[in-house]
Amino acid sequence: MTQARFITFEGGEGVGKSTQVKRLLVRLGRASIPAIRTREPGGTPKAEAIRAFILQGRPESWGPGAEAVLFAAARLDHVNRLIAPSLAEGKWVISDRFHDSTRAYQGLTGGVDDKLIRGLEELALDGHTPDLTIVLDMDPEIAFRRVGERQIEGALAATGDRFEKEDLDWHRHLREAFLTIAANNPGRCVVIPANQSEDALEQEIWDTVVRRFPELGETQ
Ligand code: T5A
């Protein structure tokens, strides 16, 4: 049996994280690797309740500092009740967003002090730093178009959630924030250009995962 690994997907809105998290889970299944898929904010009933509370709020409801604390509270429950127990059972955990999202959105883009961000990370992660973080990188204008098409198709509420209403410049800063985080954590993060077909992206992600965890290649 392979050692259970914790992989996170990060990046701006609509870059294809959810799509690729699902595809990676299928790939792991084909390699007979026990794995679960989860997301942030969310993943446990309490964290999902916090998700609904934050994301459905009006834009002026919370400042970035309060949001950072709320996301960390959700993360603490997620780590304690789902991520840590799953890893302990030998299951790989694939999460659609994790702590880098707080660092990027509320910290580097929202202006929350690094000391607070680091303190919240220490509290919520409790040592569970991801083994690999895949940062999907794309011009936000293209990502916006994708999300817009999805809204037209009705898969999202007509108004989208409040984070998707921020303006384009803000999302360009956000993109830079994720690239900065990746540059500061070269041993953990891999940046992958996301403006490619779903199939091509899936293959590049799988190649990256196998390169990082060569034991996976032996299972096929
Ligand atoms: N947040 C979260 C914080 O501020 N701080 C935190 O600490 C955390 C954890 C979460 C919000 O909360 C914020 C960040 C977010 O604003 P969310 O709904 O989970 O909200 O938001 P996103 O993670 O951005 O989810 P999205 O669904 O909008 O984006 P994804 O998951 O990146 O993209 P995906 O896979 O859903 O694809 C989007 C569309 O593009 C198509 C898909 O079919 C879909 O229609 N698509 C492609 N089209 C062409 N080519 C491809 N390769 C494609 N891949 C997908």
Side-chain angles (χ1 to χ4, degrees):
M1 197 163 106
T2 59
Q3 185 191 333
R5 305 289 187 174
F6 179 25
I7 302 176
T8 55
F9 279 70
E10 297 281 4
E13 324 267 311
V15 296
K17 297 177 297 302
S18 313
T19 306
Q20 294 302 327
V21 164
K22 287 181 204 148
R23 284 172 171 247
L24 178 56
L25 209 79
V26 172
R27 286 282 189 136
L28 288 168
R30 269 192 234 144
S32 304
I33 300 290
I36 62 153
R37 147 168 93 87
T38 186
R39 69 170 183 180
E40 285 216 349
T44 61
K46 281 197 174 74
E48 288 290 337
I50 295 177
R51 177 190 178 93
F53 186 58
I54 309 173
L55 298 187
Q56 288 162 19
R58 289 172 299 124
E60 65 273 23
S61 294
W62 301 100
E67 282 166 6
V69 172
L70 288 166
F71 283 121
R75 184 162 303 128
L76 183 62
D77 194 64
H78 190 204
V79 168
N80 286 339
R81 291 176 198 269
L82 184 69
I83 296 174
S86 300
L87 291 168
E89 283 170 18
K91 292 179 190 150
W92 289 47
V93 176
I94 318 299
S95 186
D96 186 345
R97 297 194 182 279
F98 194 59
H99 71 303
D100 293 319
S101 283
T102 305
R103 184 163 282 276
Y105 280 79
Q106 283 70 45
L108 294 170
T109 313
V112 174
D113 187 56
D114 190 54
K115 215 166 128 196
L116 174 61
I117 297 285
R118 274 190 282 119
L120 291 172
E121 280 175 1
E122 206 174 307
L123 172 82
L125 269 61
D126 194 24
H128 291 90
T129 305
D131 296 301
L132 170 65
T133 296
I134 291 170
V135 178
L136 296 184
D137 177 58
M138 193 165 73
D139 181 343
E141 214 167 324
I142 300 169
F144 265 38
R145 238 175 279 137
R146 284 184 183 175
V147 172
E149 281 161 20
R150 182 177 59 181
Q151 283 177 323
I152 289 162
E153 286 162 13
L156 267 183
T159 51
D161 72 44
R162 69 177 203 72
F163 284 88
E164 285 167 346
K165 292 175 188 155
E166 306 280 358
D167 68 26
L168 201 53
D169 270 355
W170 192 91
H171 284 273
R172 292 200 174 105
H173 286 298
L174 183 68
R175 180 188 191 185
E176 289 309 314
F178 278 114
L179 293 176
T180 301
I181 291 168
N184 290 341
N185 297 275
R188 171 171 66 85
C189 299
V190 176
V191 178
I192 298 185
N195 191 16
Q196 46 181 324
S197 75
E198 290 183 20
D199 287 348
L201 193 50
E202 175 187 328
Q203 188 59 44
E204 188 166 345
I205 290 168
W206 182 246
D207 291 344
T208 302
V209 172
V210 173
R211 242 190 333 271
R212 183 58 62 93
F213 308 117
E215 67 268 25
L216 272 182
E218 293 156 19
T219 62
Q220 292 168 64

